[in-house]
Amino acid sequence: MAEQNKQAKLTKTAAGLKKIPPYWYPYTTMTKMRWIGRELLEVVSTEFRDRSMEYYKYALESGVTTVNGKVARPDTILKDGDRVENVVHRHEPPVTSKPVKVLLHDKERQFIVVDKPGSIPVHASGRYYRNTLIEILVDDFGFEKCYPVNRLDRLTSGLMIIPLSTERARLLTAEFMAGTVRKEYIARVKGRFPEEEIVCEQPLLTVDRQMGLNIVHPEGKPAKTIFNLIHYDHNTNSSVVRCRPLTGRSHQLRVHLQYLGYPIANDPVYSEERIWGANVGKGGIDVTPSDERQAPAPPTHLQDLTKAQGSPEALVEVDDNQEDRVKEKKKLPRETGEDIGMGSPVPLSSEAVGVITRLRNMKDEDEDWSRWRDVVFRAKGLLRPKDMVIKPPPPQNRRKRGGKAELVQQAAPNPHGESPSPALTPCSSEEPSTPATPSEPPPQPQLADDEAIQKIAEMEPAEDISGIIASENLYCPECYLPLHPDPRPEKLYIFLHALKYTTSLGSFSTDMPEWAEEGFTWDQS
């Protein structure tokens, strides 16, 4: 176990990327308000899109998720106060090999000032855990505890002031909340920015939590930014702009610049014509509510394959009485497209739904359409972490809300070949006299085992999946994930940098980023 944890911390650096070998990770969370009364499979499949619908059903049927210490099933209904624990095989995306810099460590006043590279998220979320700023500061720099009171987007680089004590965090949070912190950012945008000062005061609203998409919307939160031109580069038709946000809304600078018609030049979301159309969101988009939704559609090159073997994004149930028939079940939101807008505080317009759909499709394309090729597990047995199960939760009055669960060693296999799971019991209202082992998942009707085995035989097993991934055929030998191609390092950040913060602690700044220099060029392919 200790050796496995040690291996999980190892990193590899190649071609400008920092990579961490995949590792099994247990985590726990309390039921969120939006989950109450919903089936577990519906919640999982709408909160995450890394894997196919079929895979999430298969994983739940393998017994890797517990609710209040009892094995959960896909149709388990979540209630308020439920503690959900899950074991996942984390494949953290690569981040830049450019190091985090600690610019100042004020021991007396208990804070540090850091320069965060683009591509590294501040907090653990989604696929990221060890490749996050907070974990890097703890693991690599030895800081015992960090309390970030504001954050930068994953793609944004630059300065952060991070308290090292709860008292300093409380005081600095009060400054941010009061709006007395002065912030200054640098951006490189498309086009010739006006010479005069521009003030944008458009309200902003998060309309898709999963994709982190924000738009200008009359029912959004107030936001204000002041922009000034620094210089214009004719050779790239781009401008370097000073940005002073007077509020701190999510993606505020990126959305305000897009609204003005000068999106950040290499922003993969807010400057992409394939998502927004030729106008690229200038002046905002239509906000007239619409009920228009469509089921997820496979890419053109995988349509024949999907037709032949069935869509991994559509669930079916086998009728035990008639093997060749499939009984219909009410489709879950992700199967119909109704998940688009589920997390939005307002009804979405047809244009907003189109933007989110195209953004999702682009993400799938960047990941080599792995969700649509997610079929290897059909020829495999139960999904199981090697020799591990989740430790039973403590008594109700000693439980913590969220955080990392604890794994324990699994007992030796029994004579029938099944590995007993002493820490897991079935999710039901009655306590069994003996622990139960999750049963084998039902057969998947879209692809016969021999067909799946043949498909696996044509693939290349990934012995060292911490290396640079280039082949579309590679898959993970432990969780059967079709592995994504590695991104190019220059695609890991955007031209947006937090340059200077002024607080009661003082005024702190970083050097200007190299992409802000006059004459800077970059690969725009």
Side-chain angles (χ1 to χ4, degrees):
M1 190 71 172
E3 179 63 24
Q4 184 176 19
N5 291 337
K6 179 181 177 182
Q7 289 296 321
K9 293 186 178 182
L10 296 178
T11 61
K12 288 195 174 185
T13 302
L17 300 177
K18 177 186 175 186
K19 302 186 66 176
I20 291 177
Y23 55 95
W24 288 104
Y25 179 85
Y27 71 89
T28 180
T29 183
M30 303 301 289
T31 298
K32 294 176 171 51
M33 187 67 68
R34 63 180 181 272
W35 297 356
I36 297 174
R38 296 167 61 192
E39 290 185 3
L40 183 58
L41 177 58
E42 178 189 337
V43 169
V44 170
S45 62
T46 52
E47 292 285 324
F48 307 103
R49 289 181 72 254
D50 292 349
R51 302 296 297 262
S52 65
M53 286 285 292
E54 263 195 42
Y55 179 85
Y56 287 127
K57 182 171 183 283
Y58 155 81
L60 289 172
E61 287 168 339
S62 293
V64 297
T65 302
T66 65
V67 175
N68 300 326
K70 302 171 186 176
V71 172
R73 299 301 182 196
D75 59 357
T76 296
I77 302 296
L78 295 176
K79 303 184 295 296
D80 189 17
D82 279 347
R83 177 187 174 95
V84 182
E85 294 179 309
N86 192 32
V87 180
V88 296
H89 198 230
R90 277 192 185 269
H91 286 252
E92 294 204 32
V95 297
T96 178
S97 59
K98 185 177 180 180
V100 172
K101 295 180 181 178
V102 176
L103 305 179
L104 172 68
H105 181 191
D106 191 320
K107 295 181 180 180
E108 182 179 350
R109 294 188 291 174
Q110 298 180 308
F111 71 91
I112 56 175
V113 178
V114 304
D115 187 354
K116 180 188 85 72
S119 83
I120 298 177
V122 175
H123 300 281
S125 63
R127 299 178 190 169
Y128 295 90
Y129 178 66
R130 299 194 187 281
N131 273 340
T132 60
L133 178 64
I134 300 307
E135 288 301 311
I136 290 171
L137 290 173
V138 171
D139 291 343
D140 298 353
F141 288 85
F143 293 107
E144 186 174 338
K145 193 74 175 177
C146 299
Y147 301 88
V149 298
N150 73 310
R151 67 177 179 85
L152 297 179
D153 291 338
R154 176 174 61 86
L155 299 175
T156 303
S157 61
L159 186 139
M160 288 188 66
I161 304 171
I162 302 178
L164 300 177
S165 68
T166 54
E167 176 62 18
R168 178 57 60 198
R170 184 183 64 80
L171 294 172
L172 194 56
T173 297
E175 289 190 49
F176 276 99
M177 295 291 289
T180 57
V181 177
R182 296 201 302 274
K183 298 171 282 187
E184 194 173 302
Y185 289 70
I186 299 296
R188 182 179 282 272
V189 304
K190 289 183 176 179
R192 182 188 287 271
F193 199 83
E195 304 239 351
E196 66 273 15
E197 183 172 276
I198 301 293
V199 179
C200 185
E201 297 188 72
Q202 295 298 324
L204 303 177
L205 188 68
T206 301
V207 293
D208 190 271
R209 183 184 297 105
Q210 193 182 75
M211 304 305 296
L213 186 73
N214 296 268
I215 63 171
V216 167
H217 195 285
E219 296 189 35
K221 295 180 180 179
K224 182 176 181 179
T225 316
I226 301 171
F227 297 101
N228 296 94
L229 175 68
I230 296 177
H231 64 79
Y232 169 71
D233 280 345
H234 183 271
N235 59 332
T236 57
N237 188 29
S238 64
S239 304
V240 174
V241 177
R242 191 180 309 276
C243 318
R244 287 178 288 157
L246 302 186
T247 50
R249 307 305 179 200
S250 181
H251 292 186
Q252 177 172 323
L253 302 180
R254 297 166 70 181
V255 180
H256 273 178
L257 285 166
Q258 180 200 44
Y259 180 86
L260 295 172
Y262 305 96
I264 293 173
N266 67 339
D267 193 320
V269 176
Y270 297 103
S271 68
E272 180 54 68
E273 286 190 26
R274 289 178 294 170
I275 297 173
W276 303 89
N279 206 37
V280 197
K282 181 179 180 180
I285 63 173
D286 177 53
V287 295
T288 306
S290 170
D291 293 328
E292 191 177 313
R293 300 290 189 277
Q294 290 184 344
T300 303
H301 71 287
L302 292 178
Q303 285 180 353
D304 290 342
L305 181 65
T306 301
K307 185 177 180 180
Q309 67 182 27
S311 170
E313 286 292 271
L315 298 176
V316 293
E317 283 193 1
V318 177
D319 191 330
D320 295 332
N321 298 321
Q322 300 186 36
E323 293 183 3
D324 59 343
R325 288 186 58 190
V326 172
K327 59 183 179 183
E328 292 292 331
K329 181 183 178 182
K330 182 182 178 182
K331 293 184 180 296
L332 297 182
R334 193 168 119 182
E335 297 179 86
T336 62
E338 294 295 326
D339 63 320
I340 295 180
M342 283 187 68
S344 174
V346 299
L348 296 185
S349 66
S350 178
E351 186 173 1
V353 170
V355 166
I356 294 170
T357 300
R358 291 187 291 274
L359 177 57
R360 290 183 173 191
N361 289 342
M362 278 193 59
K363 182 176 184 290
D364 287 346
E365 183 178 6
D366 289 343
E367 296 179 349
D368 202 23
W369 303 101
S370 63
R371 281 192 307 120
W372 292 95
R373 298 185 292 106
D374 197 0
V375 296
V376 175
F377 62 87
R378 293 177 182 168
K380 298 287 187 177
L382 290 174
L383 176 67
R384 288 286 184 82
K386 291 183 177 178
D387 305 321
M388 293 183 292
V389 292
I390 303 176
K391 186 177 181 179
Q396 186 76 30
N397 61 349
R398 288 167 50 197
R399 295 182 186 178
K400 296 179 181 180
R401 295 185 63 85
K404 183 178 179 180
E406 186 176 349
L407 291 178
V408 294
Q409 287 297 124
Q410 197 168 25
N414 62 33
H416 301 290
E418 279 289 343
S419 297
S421 301
L424 305 181
T425 55
C427 189
S428 65
S429 57
E430 299 181 1
E431 289 291 345
S433 57
T434 57
T437 300
S439 59
E440 287 286 342
Q444 305 292 334
Q446 289 93 329
L447 192 67
D449 280 1
D450 56 347
E451 294 176 298
I453 291 170
Q454 176 61 33
K455 189 175 185 65
I456 294 171
E458 296 170 357
M459 292 181 172
E460 304 167 23
E463 295 181 1
D464 180 13
I465 48 185
S466 62
I468 298 300
I469 297 167
S471 170
E472 66 177 12
N473 290 329
L474 291 175
Y475 69 96
C476 175
E478 290 198 52
C479 70
Y480 324 129
L481 173 73
L483 302 181
H484 310 145
D486 283 328
R488 290 184 297 171
E490 59 269 22
K491 295 292 185 181
L492 292 176
Y493 70 96
I494 58 174
F495 297 146
L496 181 61
H497 182 85
L499 183 70
K500 184 177 182 179
Y501 277 19
T502 301
T503 73
S504 63
L505 297 170
S507 185
F508 310 100
S509 63
T510 72
D511 294 333
M512 289 284 280
E514 62 177 0
W515 48 257
E517 298 174 0
E518 291 193 57
F520 175 82
T521 60
W522 69 98
D523 182 1
Q524 301 187 46
S525 61

